[in-house]
Amino acid sequence: MDQLQREIVLNVYRCSNLLERVGRGLVNEVGLCSVQQWFILGVLYRQGELSLKDLTNNLLVTKQNITGMVQRLKQGGYLSAWEDPADRRITRVGLTDLGRQVFEELFHSSSASNEDTFSSFSREEVEQLSELMAKLVNVLQLQSEREKELRNGQE
């Protein structure tokens, strides 16, 4: 089973790299710099305005990463940011009209790409893959949190 597990990990990395390549082409067409910026726009599009902390937790990135990405999106006119009126220590972010428009363009162009990508899979296979990938993400997230707790306990 060790070999099979290594092959799965290698294929997940390969998929990640290929998805990044395809995604980079899509975001470049609308003026964004990275696929991660697209993910930020998508989370805010679906969930509405969020705190930086909630956005960080949703995307599984560090506070430093999200701060820089949000700043660049704000400078590009895609996001607005403000202090939470109830707690000035909290920064909230939301989409501007431009950010909403760009996300909708990406949504439409990525839908065609996704249709092509998954055209050789049955509906059942896509559902299985989705469930298994979600399970893998959850396991890796728990593992990452445990390792972080261990590191913090040793400091």
Side-chain angles (χ1 to χ4, degrees):
M1 185 135 151
D2 286 346
Q3 181 61 30
L4 186 57
Q5 292 167 340
R6 281 192 284 278
E7 286 178 31
I8 291 170
V9 170
L10 180 58
N11 281 328
V12 168
Y13 276 115
R14 286 176 175 153
C15 285
S16 176
N17 290 335
L18 292 168
L19 286 168
E20 175 74 24
R21 188 180 306 163
V22 170
R24 203 173 323 117
L26 293 171
V27 298
N28 287 339
E29 290 176 11
V30 296
L32 296 179
C33 300
S34 71
V35 175
Q36 289 77 19
Q37 289 181 329
W38 177 10
F39 293 162
I40 291 170
L41 295 182
V43 168
L44 294 171
Y45 187 88
R46 286 184 292 279
Q47 296 186 21
E49 64 183 52
L50 293 172
S51 69
L52 283 182
K53 182 179 180 180
D54 290 340
L55 195 55
T56 299
N57 292 338
N58 191 295
L59 294 170
L60 303 176
V61 297
T62 65
K63 183 179 177 183
Q64 293 80 7
N65 282 348
I66 203 72
T67 302
M69 289 188 285
V70 164
Q71 187 61 36
R72 285 185 289 281
L73 285 166
K74 186 178 168 191
Q75 289 170 347
Y78 304 103
L79 297 182
S80 56
W82 61 93
E83 287 180 351
D84 188 306
D87 186 342
R88 302 177 97 189
R89 296 171 296 173
I90 297 172
T91 300
R92 299 192 69 74
V93 292
L95 291 178
T96 62
D97 288 341
L98 176 61
R100 196 170 285 102
Q101 175 187 344
V102 165
F103 178 77
E104 288 170 356
E105 287 178 40
L106 283 166
F107 179 81
H108 293 299
S109 60
S110 67
S111 292
S113 177
N114 288 342
E115 284 296 322
D116 188 41
T117 299
F118 293 102
S119 64
S120 63
F121 292 85
S122 71
R123 176 73 184 173
E124 292 78 22
E125 288 173 323
V126 172
E127 289 171 358
Q128 269 186 317
L129 181 58
S130 177
E131 290 170 10
L132 291 170
M133 293 302 295
K135 186 175 181 179
L136 180 60
V137 167
N138 287 334
V139 168
L140 290 170
Q141 189 174 5
L142 288 171
Q143 183 180 1
S144 174
E145 290 169 3
R146 280 194 303 262
E147 290 172 1
K148 183 179 176 183
E149 287 172 6
L150 285 173
R151 281 192 308 274
N152 288 341
Q154 293 174 350
E155 293 176 2

mmCIF file of all heavy atoms in Angstrom, residues 13 17-18 21 24 27 29 36 45 49 52 55 67-68 70 72 79 97 109-110 113-114 116 121 128 130 137 153:
data_model
loop_
_atom_site.group_PDB
_atom_site.id
_atom_site.type_symbol
_atom_site.label_atom_id
_atom_site.label_comp_id
_atom_site.label_asym_id
_atom_site.label_seq_id
_atom_site.Cartn_x
_atom_site.Cartn_y
_atom_site.Cartn_z
ATOM 1 N N TYR A 13 -0.116 16.169 -6.420
ATOM 2 C CA TYR A 13 0.806 17.265 -6.754
ATOM 3 C C TYR A 13 0.768 17.583 -8.240
ATOM 4 O O TYR A 13 0.759 18.751 -8.642
ATOM 5 C CB TYR A 13 2.242 16.928 -6.329
ATOM 6 C CG TYR A 13 2.535 17.235 -4.895
ATOM 7 C CD1 TYR A 13 2.826 16.210 -4.004
ATOM 8 C CD2 TYR A 13 2.538 18.539 -4.413
ATOM 9 C CE1 TYR A 13 3.099 16.476 -2.675
ATOM 10 C CE2 TYR A 13 2.805 18.812 -3.087
ATOM 11 C CZ TYR A 13 3.089 17.781 -2.224
ATOM 12 O OH TYR A 13 3.354 18.043 -0.913
ATOM 13 N N ASN A 17 -0.331 21.158 -9.884
ATOM 14 C CA ASN A 17 0.496 21.928 -10.823
ATOM 15 C C ASN A 17 -0.234 22.197 -12.128
ATOM 16 O O ASN A 17 -0.176 23.305 -12.670
ATOM 17 C CB ASN A 17 1.812 21.197 -11.093
ATOM 18 C CG ASN A 17 2.726 21.213 -9.899
ATOM 19 O OD1 ASN A 17 2.643 22.088 -9.043
ATOM 20 N ND2 ASN A 17 3.609 20.238 -9.822
ATOM 21 N N LEU A 18 -0.931 21.188 -12.641
ATOM 22 C CA LEU A 18 -1.660 21.375 -13.893
ATOM 23 C C LEU A 18 -2.845 22.321 -13.721
ATOM 24 O O LEU A 18 -3.108 23.165 -14.584
ATOM 25 C CB LEU A 18 -2.119 20.020 -14.435
ATOM 26 C CG LEU A 18 -0.985 19.110 -14.914
ATOM 27 C CD1 LEU A 18 -1.497 17.694 -15.147
ATOM 28 C CD2 LEU A 18 -0.333 19.672 -16.170
ATOM 29 N N ARG A 21 -1.555 25.799 -13.663
ATOM 30 C CA ARG A 21 -1.201 26.254 -15.014
ATOM 31 C C ARG A 21 -2.450 26.695 -15.775
ATOM 32 O O ARG A 21 -2.470 27.765 -16.390
ATOM 33 C CB ARG A 21 -0.484 25.122 -15.762
ATOM 34 C CG ARG A 21 0.100 25.549 -17.086
ATOM 35 C CD ARG A 21 0.804 24.402 -17.792
ATOM 36 N NE ARG A 21 1.814 23.788 -16.934
ATOM 37 C CZ ARG A 21 2.355 22.594 -17.147
ATOM 38 N NH1 ARG A 21 1.981 21.867 -18.181
ATOM 39 N NH2 ARG A 21 3.272 22.117 -16.340
ATOM 40 N N ARG A 24 -3.880 29.844 -14.100
ATOM 41 C CA ARG A 24 -3.074 31.032 -14.373
ATOM 42 C C ARG A 24 -3.440 31.634 -15.724
ATOM 43 O O ARG A 24 -3.530 32.853 -15.874
ATOM 44 C CB ARG A 24 -1.583 30.677 -14.320
ATOM 45 C CG ARG A 24 -0.697 31.852 -14.043
ATOM 46 C CD ARG A 24 0.771 31.504 -13.806
ATOM 47 N NE ARG A 24 0.987 30.272 -13.063
ATOM 48 C CZ ARG A 24 1.617 29.200 -13.571
ATOM 49 N NH1 ARG A 24 2.062 29.195 -14.803
ATOM 50 N NH2 ARG A 24 1.789 28.119 -12.832
ATOM 51 N N VAL A 27 -6.839 33.470 -15.198
ATOM 52 C CA VAL A 27 -6.783 34.724 -14.436
ATOM 53 C C VAL A 27 -6.031 35.812 -15.196
ATOM 54 O O VAL A 27 -6.365 36.991 -15.071
ATOM 55 C CB VAL A 27 -6.185 34.544 -13.016
ATOM 56 C CG1 VAL A 27 -7.040 33.607 -12.193
ATOM 57 C CG2 VAL A 27 -4.745 34.107 -13.033
ATOM 58 N N GLU A 29 -6.214 36.377 -18.284
ATOM 59 C CA GLU A 29 -7.145 36.960 -19.250
ATOM 60 C C GLU A 29 -7.980 38.086 -18.654
ATOM 61 O O GLU A 29 -8.449 38.958 -19.379
ATOM 62 C CB GLU A 29 -8.076 35.879 -19.806
ATOM 63 C CG GLU A 29 -7.397 34.886 -20.719
ATOM 64 C CD GLU A 29 -8.320 33.778 -21.183
ATOM 65 O OE1 GLU A 29 -9.556 33.878 -20.967
ATOM 66 O OE2 GLU A 29 -7.806 32.797 -21.753
ATOM 67 N N GLN A 36 -4.716 32.276 -6.587
ATOM 68 C CA GLN A 36 -5.140 32.544 -5.214
ATOM 69 C C GLN A 36 -6.024 33.789 -5.146
ATOM 70 O O GLN A 36 -6.963 33.834 -4.350
ATOM 71 C CB GLN A 36 -3.923 32.686 -4.291
ATOM 72 C CG GLN A 36 -3.195 31.391 -4.042
ATOM 73 C CD GLN A 36 -2.315 30.945 -5.210
ATOM 74 O OE1 GLN A 36 -1.958 31.731 -6.081
ATOM 75 N NE2 GLN A 36 -1.980 29.675 -5.234
ATOM 76 N N TYR A 45 -17.465 36.228 -3.119
ATOM 77 C CA TYR A 45 -18.646 36.222 -3.987
ATOM 78 C C TYR A 45 -19.726 35.320 -3.400
ATOM 79 O O TYR A 45 -20.895 35.676 -3.367
ATOM 80 C CB TYR A 45 -18.253 35.743 -5.389
ATOM 81 C CG TYR A 45 -19.355 35.843 -6.411
ATOM 82 C CD1 TYR A 45 -19.544 37.014 -7.137
ATOM 83 C CD2 TYR A 45 -20.196 34.767 -6.660
ATOM 84 C CE1 TYR A 45 -20.555 37.105 -8.090
ATOM 85 C CE2 TYR A 45 -21.210 34.853 -7.604
ATOM 86 C CZ TYR A 45 -21.377 36.024 -8.314
ATOM 87 O OH TYR A 45 -22.378 36.119 -9.256
ATOM 88 N N GLU A 49 -19.201 39.643 2.518
ATOM 89 C CA GLU A 49 -18.062 40.223 3.240
ATOM 90 C C GLU A 49 -17.643 39.333 4.402
ATOM 91 O O GLU A 49 -18.465 38.696 5.051
ATOM 92 C CB GLU A 49 -18.393 41.625 3.723
ATOM 93 C CG GLU A 49 -19.501 41.668 4.735
ATOM 94 C CD GLU A 49 -19.870 43.078 5.139
ATOM 95 O OE1 GLU A 49 -20.130 43.903 4.245
ATOM 96 O OE2 GLU A 49 -19.905 43.346 6.360
ATOM 97 N N LEU A 52 -10.735 39.247 7.787
ATOM 98 C CA LEU A 52 -9.501 38.642 7.274
ATOM 99 C C LEU A 52 -9.262 37.280 7.914
ATOM 100 O O LEU A 52 -8.805 36.347 7.254
ATOM 101 C CB LEU A 52 -8.308 39.558 7.521
ATOM 102 C CG LEU A 52 -8.152 40.755 6.597
ATOM 103 C CD1 LEU A 52 -6.890 41.529 6.937
ATOM 104 C CD2 LEU A 52 -8.155 40.349 5.143
ATOM 105 N N LEU A 55 -11.467 34.723 6.234
ATOM 106 C CA LEU A 55 -10.946 34.471 4.893
ATOM 107 C C LEU A 55 -9.702 33.587 4.963
ATOM 108 O O LEU A 55 -9.551 32.640 4.187
ATOM 109 C CB LEU A 55 -10.635 35.810 4.213
ATOM 110 C CG LEU A 55 -10.415 35.820 2.721
ATOM 111 C CD1 LEU A 55 -11.582 35.205 1.964
ATOM 112 C CD2 LEU A 55 -10.185 37.254 2.250
ATOM 113 N N THR A 67 -2.944 38.864 3.890
ATOM 114 C CA THR A 67 -2.790 40.321 3.975
ATOM 115 C C THR A 67 -2.216 40.886 2.681
ATOM 116 O O THR A 67 -2.738 41.860 2.136
ATOM 117 C CB THR A 67 -1.895 40.698 5.175
ATOM 118 O OG1 THR A 67 -2.495 40.179 6.366
ATOM 119 C CG2 THR A 67 -1.739 42.199 5.295
ATOM 120 N N GLY A 68 -1.171 40.261 2.166
ATOM 121 C CA GLY A 68 -0.559 40.730 0.917
ATOM 122 C C GLY A 68 -1.489 40.580 -0.274
ATOM 123 O O GLY A 68 -1.603 41.488 -1.111
ATOM 124 N N VAL A 70 -4.805 40.402 -0.260
ATOM 125 C CA VAL A 70 -5.924 41.336 -0.130
ATOM 126 C C VAL A 70 -5.480 42.751 -0.482
ATOM 127 O O VAL A 70 -6.197 43.481 -1.170
ATOM 128 C CB VAL A 70 -6.536 41.259 1.294
ATOM 129 C CG1 VAL A 70 -7.418 42.460 1.591
ATOM 130 C CG2 VAL A 70 -7.318 39.964 1.453
ATOM 131 N N ARG A 72 -3.125 43.665 -2.579
ATOM 132 C CA ARG A 72 -2.992 43.789 -4.040
ATOM 133 C C ARG A 72 -4.366 43.846 -4.720
ATOM 134 O O ARG A 72 -4.568 44.612 -5.662
ATOM 135 C CB ARG A 72 -2.148 42.647 -4.591
ATOM 136 C CG ARG A 72 -0.656 42.831 -4.285
ATOM 137 C CD ARG A 72 0.211 41.770 -4.934
ATOM 138 N NE ARG A 72 0.063 40.447 -4.333
ATOM 139 C CZ ARG A 72 0.636 40.061 -3.199
ATOM 140 N NH1 ARG A 72 1.405 40.887 -2.531
ATOM 141 N NH2 ARG A 72 0.459 38.836 -2.746
ATOM 142 N N LEU A 79 -11.425 44.729 -4.389
ATOM 143 C CA LEU A 79 -11.919 44.580 -3.021
ATOM 144 C C LEU A 79 -11.943 45.924 -2.321
ATOM 145 O O LEU A 79 -11.170 46.818 -2.643
ATOM 146 C CB LEU A 79 -10.996 43.681 -2.188
ATOM 147 C CG LEU A 79 -10.798 42.235 -2.566
ATOM 148 C CD1 LEU A 79 -9.875 41.560 -1.558
ATOM 149 C CD2 LEU A 79 -12.109 41.500 -2.647
ATOM 150 N N ASP A 97 -17.736 46.277 -7.276
ATOM 151 C CA ASP A 97 -18.435 45.902 -8.508
ATOM 152 C C ASP A 97 -17.462 45.270 -9.498
ATOM 153 O O ASP A 97 -17.798 44.290 -10.164
ATOM 154 C CB ASP A 97 -19.117 47.127 -9.133
ATOM 155 C CG ASP A 97 -20.323 47.587 -8.335
ATOM 156 O OD1 ASP A 97 -20.858 46.786 -7.532
ATOM 157 O OD2 ASP A 97 -20.722 48.763 -8.489
ATOM 158 N N SER A 109 -15.737 31.298 -17.790
ATOM 159 C CA SER A 109 -14.640 30.692 -18.547
ATOM 160 C C SER A 109 -14.169 29.392 -17.894
ATOM 161 O O SER A 109 -13.801 28.439 -18.586
ATOM 162 C CB SER A 109 -13.478 31.675 -18.715
ATOM 163 O OG SER A 109 -12.958 32.072 -17.473
ATOM 164 N N SER A 110 -14.207 29.307 -16.565
ATOM 165 C CA SER A 110 -13.768 28.081 -15.903
ATOM 166 C C SER A 110 -14.799 26.972 -16.043
ATOM 167 O O SER A 110 -14.444 25.787 -16.024
ATOM 168 C CB SER A 110 -13.463 28.342 -14.427
ATOM 169 O OG SER A 110 -14.630 28.662 -13.715
ATOM 170 N N SER A 113 -13.932 25.107 -19.104
ATOM 171 C CA SER A 113 -12.712 24.339 -18.850
ATOM 172 C C SER A 113 -13.016 23.111 -17.996
ATOM 173 O O SER A 113 -12.514 22.009 -18.267
ATOM 174 C CB SER A 113 -11.673 25.233 -18.151
ATOM 175 O OG SER A 113 -10.517 24.498 -17.845
ATOM 176 N N ASN A 114 -13.843 23.273 -16.968
ATOM 177 C CA ASN A 114 -14.216 22.150 -16.103
ATOM 178 C C ASN A 114 -15.003 21.092 -16.869
ATOM 179 O O ASN A 114 -14.790 19.887 -16.664
ATOM 180 C CB ASN A 114 -15.016 22.631 -14.896
ATOM 181 C CG ASN A 114 -14.166 23.367 -13.894
ATOM 182 O OD1 ASN A 114 -12.950 23.263 -13.892
ATOM 183 N ND2 ASN A 114 -14.817 24.136 -13.051
ATOM 184 N N ASP A 116 -14.744 20.359 -19.969
ATOM 185 C CA ASP A 116 -13.766 19.642 -20.785
ATOM 186 C C ASP A 116 -12.935 18.693 -19.920
ATOM 187 O O ASP A 116 -12.719 17.539 -20.279
ATOM 188 C CB ASP A 116 -12.866 20.656 -21.507
ATOM 189 C CG ASP A 116 -11.954 19.997 -22.510
ATOM 190 O OD1 ASP A 116 -12.406 19.075 -23.222
ATOM 191 O OD2 ASP A 116 -10.777 20.404 -22.584
ATOM 192 N N PHE A 121 -15.296 11.488 -17.342
ATOM 193 C CA PHE A 121 -15.742 10.890 -16.080
ATOM 194 C C PHE A 121 -17.260 10.789 -16.079
ATOM 195 O O PHE A 121 -17.948 11.688 -16.568
ATOM 196 C CB PHE A 121 -15.332 11.754 -14.884
ATOM 197 C CG PHE A 121 -13.852 11.806 -14.627
ATOM 198 C CD1 PHE A 121 -13.039 12.708 -15.302
ATOM 199 C CD2 PHE A 121 -13.270 10.965 -13.688
ATOM 200 C CE1 PHE A 121 -11.688 12.763 -15.051
ATOM 201 C CE2 PHE A 121 -11.913 11.009 -13.431
ATOM 202 C CZ PHE A 121 -11.113 11.915 -14.122
ATOM 203 N N GLN A 128 -17.824 10.679 -6.556
ATOM 204 C CA GLN A 128 -16.891 9.924 -5.716
ATOM 205 C C GLN A 128 -15.592 10.694 -5.518
ATOM 206 O O GLN A 128 -15.073 10.781 -4.404
ATOM 207 C CB GLN A 128 -16.554 8.574 -6.369
ATOM 208 C CG GLN A 128 -17.429 7.453 -5.983
ATOM 209 C CD GLN A 128 -16.899 6.146 -6.579
ATOM 210 O OE1 GLN A 128 -16.491 6.093 -7.735
ATOM 211 N NE2 GLN A 128 -16.908 5.107 -5.767
ATOM 212 N N SER A 130 -15.092 13.884 -5.740
ATOM 213 C CA SER A 130 -15.358 15.045 -4.894
ATOM 214 C C SER A 130 -15.384 14.655 -3.426
ATOM 215 O O SER A 130 -14.769 15.324 -2.578
ATOM 216 C CB SER A 130 -16.679 15.692 -5.293
ATOM 217 O OG SER A 130 -16.983 16.769 -4.448
ATOM 218 N N VAL A 137 -8.727 16.392 2.145
ATOM 219 C CA VAL A 137 -8.485 17.749 2.641
ATOM 220 C C VAL A 137 -8.743 17.808 4.142
ATOM 221 O O VAL A 137 -7.948 18.380 4.900
ATOM 222 C CB VAL A 137 -9.342 18.787 1.886
ATOM 223 C CG1 VAL A 137 -9.339 20.135 2.594
ATOM 224 C CG2 VAL A 137 -8.856 18.942 0.453
ATOM 225 N N GLY A 153 3.554 23.947 21.310
ATOM 226 C CA GLY A 153 3.815 23.403 22.633
ATOM 227 C C GLY A 153 5.301 23.264 22.936
ATOM 228 O O GLY A 153 5.720 23.283 24.091
#
